[in-house]
Amino acid sequence: MNLLIAENPLMVVPTLAARIGLEESVFIQQIHYLTLHSRNVKGGKRWVYNTYADWLKIFPFLKNEQKVQRVVTKLEQIGLLITQKDPIPMNRRKWYRVNYASDFLNVEDSDLNVEDSDLNVEDSDLNVED
């Protein structure tokens, strides 16, 4: 079995990963993807919900629920992730949505310019044709 194609991939946006951290950027990208397909609309915004244990199934590389909690807490603290506890107290799940107004998502504020990068595909020593 080839792990490169055996599972649904998670996306990494390099510029965002450089700004907020690799695990955080993968997590917020997944929240974005899931909310695009969510039927849970509150206050005109789409939300997704999960427990930390459920997130761990999606992100097994986070290793434990405490790490999931740290990633969520960091994203909440920097204002990129908006969360709400489930209104039913015995549910351990939280509701999540991306704060699309966050400056972290603003391309114009980027100090990383992909066009000026030394990793241009045309000039790379790693061309597929070689």
Side-chain angles (χ1 to χ4, degrees):
M1 173 156 63
N2 184 341
L3 288 177
L4 293 175
I5 58 174
E7 299 180 52
N8 289 330
L10 296 170
M11 294 193 60
V12 175
V13 178
T15 303
L16 186 59
R19 287 182 180 183
I20 66 172
L22 179 61
E23 293 162 338
E24 292 80 5
S25 70
V26 171
F27 193 93
I28 202 74
Q29 179 65 44
Q30 190 67 11
I31 298 285
H32 168 69
Y33 173 78
L34 293 171
T35 55
L36 289 176
H37 304 283
S38 176
R39 295 185 191 148
N40 299 305
V41 178
K42 294 192 228 177
K45 308 283 186 190
R46 292 177 187 256
W47 294 77
V48 296
Y49 62 86
N50 257 334
T51 64
Y52 291 148
D54 291 333
W55 286 125
L56 195 53
K57 292 174 189 170
I58 296 171
F59 305 111
F61 53 87
L62 292 178
K63 303 289 186 199
N64 57 55
E65 292 180 33
Q66 292 78 21
K67 180 64 177 182
V68 174
Q69 183 177 10
R70 285 193 293 273
V71 168
V72 168
T73 299
K74 179 180 176 183
L75 290 169
E76 289 171 323
Q77 289 175 342
I78 67 174
L80 192 49
L81 183 64
I82 298 171
T83 62
Q84 291 183 351
K85 291 191 180 207
D86 196 279
I88 301 171
M90 64 183 168
N91 279 345
R92 294 178 51 208
R93 62 187 180 193
K94 276 176 115 171
W95 291 80
Y96 303 82
R97 73 176 177 86
V98 176
N99 176 11
Y100 292 102
S102 171
D103 288 339
F104 286 104
L105 300 177
N106 189 346
V107 175
E108 287 78 34
D109 290 344
S110 176
D111 53 357
L112 299 170
N113 188 338
V114 175
E115 293 174 0
D116 294 337
S117 169
D118 289 334
L119 299 175
N120 287 319
V121 175
E122 295 84 14
D123 299 333
S124 173
D125 291 334
L126 300 175
N127 282 318
V128 176
E129 297 165 356
D130 292 344

